[in-house]
Amino acid sequence: MKKSRRDFIKLSALGAAAVPLNVFSKNEFDLILSPKNKPIVLSTWNFGLKANEAAWEVLKNNGRALDAVEAGVKVPEGDPMQRTVGLGGRPDRDGRVTLDACIMDELSNIGSVASLEYISHPISVARAVMEKTPHVMLVGDGALQFALSQGFKKESFMNEQTKNEWKEWLKKNDYKPVVNIENHDTIGMIAMDSAGNLSGACTTSGMAYKMHGRVGDSPIIGAGLYVDNEIGAATATGHGEEVIRIAGSHLVVELMRHGNSPKDACKLAVERIMKLQLLRNKNLKDIQVGFIALNKKGEYGAYCLQSGFNYAVNDNTGNKMVDSDYSLK
Ligand code: ASP
């Protein structure tokens, strides 16, 4: 139902006393007050389906998007069978499993950890950084010391299979992240709750056999994840170096701010990466990047460079996998 101008002024006066009237157009204000498809949660790759289920438990009970995305990504983080996130993650070339994660809420509170070892739920450490420290990012040993001080327990990672695979890899010692083969793959999750608020989380073990200390896009706010509660949210997967190069998730949100649909915003960001790759005389076939995005109306979309990227969406119609459209056809 369309709101009359008088309703708009009434709402402005009541609901947003602190917001100057000229900040939003009437249409924007309507969207902020009444997104159509909520709650909703989206996450990257096949493991997104199970992760969405956990997030949906929170969302369907009118919980906060922030709690939903944390609960959601904790599912693959805690699953030793997932070889690219959390507990089951593959190591770097020195045989150390180092994890990256970040989280962002509807008030632009942010928290992040990078190169964190021994802790199976880096997303919860990132949330603790956000809520319990004056900082936004902790790395390496500092992140570990902080996690331990918060009661997180050290766990042993590298099981026999992981160790054997790593030893096999050492024989050739050839570092070339393989496109769409599950030796990286991040879970990025973005959600809107029934109050219409957005949050996001992103967590990964990064590129298998990376240099020790390498950090990808996933724990970097604006690269692997970005949320603007007036506009929408986006998250990324794929070759983190390329996503960082264009501040990818922030770019996707800005492109939505300028009127692009979530899918078009993701496509424009992917095309920018492609352009830079060509400019730098690199082969497009050597990289994969994918974005998913959600706007304030509950519309969503994705785009990636090469075929093979998919994502999971859970809304009031159910939980399903969607294949992303892509550029290199
Ligand atoms: N973006 C992750 C990284 O660069 C990996 C991935 O999502 O495939 O660490």
Side-chain angles (χ1 to χ4, degrees), residues 223-276:
L225 174 73
Y226 199 70
V227 176
D228 182 325
N229 206 42
E230 286 177 12
I231 305 299
T235 187
T237 182
H239 288 72
E241 284 75 4
E242 307 317 316
V243 176
I244 293 172
R245 203 180 308 284
I246 61 155
S249 295
H250 182 262
L251 176 63
V252 172
V253 172
E254 289 307 297
L255 288 164
M256 291 195 286
R257 189 193 305 279
H258 292 293
N260 292 288
S261 70
K263 178 180 168 183
D264 285 350
C266 294
K267 183 167 187 250
L268 288 164
V270 168
E271 286 171 352
R272 193 172 296 186
I273 288 174
M274 291 168 70
K275 190 174 142 194
L276 295 179

Side-chain angles (χ1 to χ4, degrees), residues 45 100 184-186 204 206-207 214 216-218 236-241:
W45 303 109
D100 298 337
H184 37 97
D185 292 0
T186 297
T204 191
M207 297 290 182
R214 179 264 186 189
D217 59 317
S218 307
T237 182
H239 288 72
E241 284 75 4

